[in-house]
Amino acid sequence: MVEDAFETVAIVYSQPETVVMLAMFAQYDIPAYAMGFDHARAAWPMLLALGGIVIRVHPAVADEARALLAEVAQRPAVIRPRFVINPVLHIAFGILAMLLAAPPPTRATATYFLGKARRAGDKSQG
């Protein structure tokens, strides 16, 4: 059995977040790819069921990628605002968006596999 050369560093459930993460890795010359991104673009309602978009990097730079993700993980997650304040209208706009095939924002957050970077960050915080 041949061992896979790339390592998983994150699982993302948002197409924009995937593109930003890949651009960040490209900026730092980290070879990375998003496994399942084509499925997400073709069948976005199945993204959660398919297990998200797996971000993988080359093992030679995996520690550098994890350090970048650890820096991102320290920031608080963005809370997506509602379209309108009224909850009934918010649901109505959501249904309309789904009928028009606009992907709704997912409520699942990204998972980062930080390994040693998480442990080092925890020691410095506590």
Side-chain angles (χ1 to χ4, degrees):
M1 179 187 228
V2 177
E3 190 174 321
D4 190 3
F6 278 57
E7 293 183 20
T8 300
V9 293
I11 298 176
V12 196
Y13 297 95
S14 166
Q15 293 179 45
E17 188 175 3
T18 301
V19 173
V20 168
M21 192 176 294
L22 291 176
M24 176 183 69
F25 287 149
Q27 179 70 27
Y28 288 94
D29 294 325
I30 297 173
Y33 73 95
M35 189 170 69
F37 190 55
D38 293 331
H39 287 113
R41 290 188 301 188
W44 56 266
M46 298 293 292
L47 183 58
L48 193 59
L50 291 172
I53 302 165
V54 179
I55 307 295
R56 302 184 59 112
V57 298
H58 194 274
V61 291
D63 290 335
E64 184 179 348
R66 287 188 179 102
L68 287 171
L69 290 176
E71 195 175 309
V72 171
Q74 289 178 355
R75 297 185 183 112
V78 175
I79 298 173
R80 294 188 174 108
R82 293 180 178 223
F83 296 124
V84 289
I85 296 173
N86 185 335
V88 174
L89 287 176
H90 177 73
I91 292 170
F93 280 126
I95 292 170
L96 178 64
M98 287 186 351
L99 292 174
L100 296 174
T106 181
R107 292 293 179 204
T109 59
T111 302
Y112 303 125
F113 299 103
L114 301 177
K116 293 178 185 176
R118 172 178 281 169
R119 283 185 232 117
D122 288 345
K123 288 179 185 175
S124 66
Q125 290 175 1

